[in-house]
Amino acid sequence: MAKLFKPLMIAGAVAVVAVGGWLALRPIPVPVDLAEVTQGPMEVTVNAEGVTRIHNLYHISSPVSGLVLRSPVEVGDPVVAGKTLVAAVEPGEPAFLDERSRLQAEAAVKEAAAALKLAEANIAAARSALDYSEAQMARYQRLYDNGNLSAQEYQRQRADLETKKAQLAAAEAERDLRQSTLERQRATLTGPQVPEAGDDLTDCCIRLTAPVSGQVLSVVNTSQRMVAAGEALLTVGDPKELEVSVDLLSSDAVRLKAGATATVDRWGGDGLLQAKLREIEPSGFTKVSALGIEEQRVKAILDFTGPPARRAGLGNAYRVYVRIVEWQAPDAVQVPIGALFREGADWAVYVDGSGVARKRVIKLGRRNDEVAQVLDGLKPGDEVITHPSDRVAEGVQVTPR
């Protein structure tokens, strides 16, 4: 019995060693992630952040220097074109005079008053001279009519009379001039005055109404204050006339055309908003990115195509995310970007061929961030290995992870 047991033990040990060697030497399938090649609609988009803005903004400024009264409107108030009062400007009060300026103004008033008295004295002298000339002219007229005065002497007296009349008119004009000068000099002494109780401060010289129906978007300062001519007071616009401004890389902008469709996402509401590219501005500008890199960018303007009620709550200068369609196809064969790798100058993928990795060179068309268009080398339903590791090679056994 012992002799029989010993050969069995030896045979069992040999079998265990053989099985262990086979297990150690047999190829182990590499776990991989598989994705199916599909066929369907495909889009290539240019993506960028944008800012909403009202198409026509009306910045209202003061047409004259003066005192603008407290704003009758606040941000968000509705306005009607030509009817809603948005600002009122009164003439400003004169400034205070320092001691030197006041003394100079008082001296100028005295000077103007003295000049007025001189002008009045000149009038008196001119009127007296005219009265004498008129009396002389009456005597000369009788002598001329009786033939006792020559025509030459008569004409000389008439010329002297007209001269005296002109001198009186000049003296009166001088008096009016000096009177106006005196009033002007007195006006320089006028200082700011405190309004009395009951004065109506709303009876302004200039009333500004809304240039367009819409809403008040901003008010520079709601308080009463002095303003200069051309100083901004408030901004008015119609929130229904929203558009989107996007800063695109110039290299992306050249691939887009006016009329391209777009979607607006991350705007705060539910779903996507539809838009259309209206124009790409012809001039670019330099912008420094967050990484400190100078980039040439250009503004693209998009119009919303859906009803305003669809984007309720979206206002001026809101941040959004825009996807502008550069290219689209209704029935494209697509492979995930993660399955692609370079094979020399070509693109290739690994296909799962019944548990064995098979390298296949393919021809690609358009690509986006997720998939690439396959022009040749794959067909819908093929399973490709995504993100293949360095263990995956031609003929290697693979198994789905």
Side-chain angles (χ1 to χ4, degrees), residues 148-187:
N148 297 325
L149 185 69
S150 65
Q152 182 178 2
E153 187 66 19
Y154 177 76
Q155 293 298 330
R156 187 189 64 79
Q157 185 60 33
R158 285 192 64 85
D160 181 70
L161 176 62
E162 295 299 327
T163 300
K164 294 298 189 291
K165 289 181 179 179
Q167 290 175 349
L168 177 60
E172 291 175 344
E174 179 71 15
R175 178 199 58 190
D176 295 340
L177 175 62
R178 299 304 179 186
Q179 180 66 41
S180 298
T181 302
L182 177 60
E183 294 174 358
R184 175 167 55 83
Q185 296 298 339
R186 285 173 176 169

Side-chain angles (χ1 to χ4, degrees), residues 69-74 219-225:
L69 301 183
R70 184 171 182 84
S71 176
V73 294
E74 297 180 352
V219 178
V220 175
N221 194 326
T222 60
S223 300
Q224 176 176 293
R225 69 194 191 283

Side-chain angles (χ1 to χ4, degrees), residues 280-331:
I280 296 177
E281 295 185 353
S283 179
F285 56 92
T286 302
K287 183 177 182 180
V288 180
S289 68
L291 299 177
I293 302 173
E294 289 188 353
E295 300 173 338
Q296 286 303 117
R297 292 184 172 266
V298 62
K299 284 191 178 296
I301 310 301
L302 297 94
D303 294 321
F304 289 102
T305 57
R310 180 69 182 81
R311 54 180 185 274
L314 194 61
N316 185 55
Y318 282 35
R319 176 182 172 274
V320 295
Y321 190 78
V322 180
R323 294 184 175 90
I324 307 174
V325 178
E326 174 192 343
W327 173 88
Q328 59 183 351
D331 198 25

Side-chain angles (χ1 to χ4, degrees), residues 101-125:
S101 298
R102 177 168 291 279
L103 291 175
Q104 291 176 343
E106 290 174 350
V109 170
K110 293 179 181 179
E111 180 183 354
L116 178 61
K117 289 182 179 181
L118 178 61
E120 290 174 346
N122 291 336
I123 290 177

Side-chain angles (χ1 to χ4, degrees), residues 59-69 86-92 205-208 220 225-235:
H59 302 285
I60 301 173
S61 59
S62 176
V64 296
S65 298
L67 177 69
V68 61
L69 301 183
V86 295
V89 184
E90 285 186 341
C205 296
I206 296 179
R207 294 173 177 268
L208 303 178
V220 175
R225 69 194 191 283
M226 295 296 297
V227 295
E231 185 171 339
L233 301 177
L234 71 159
T235 303

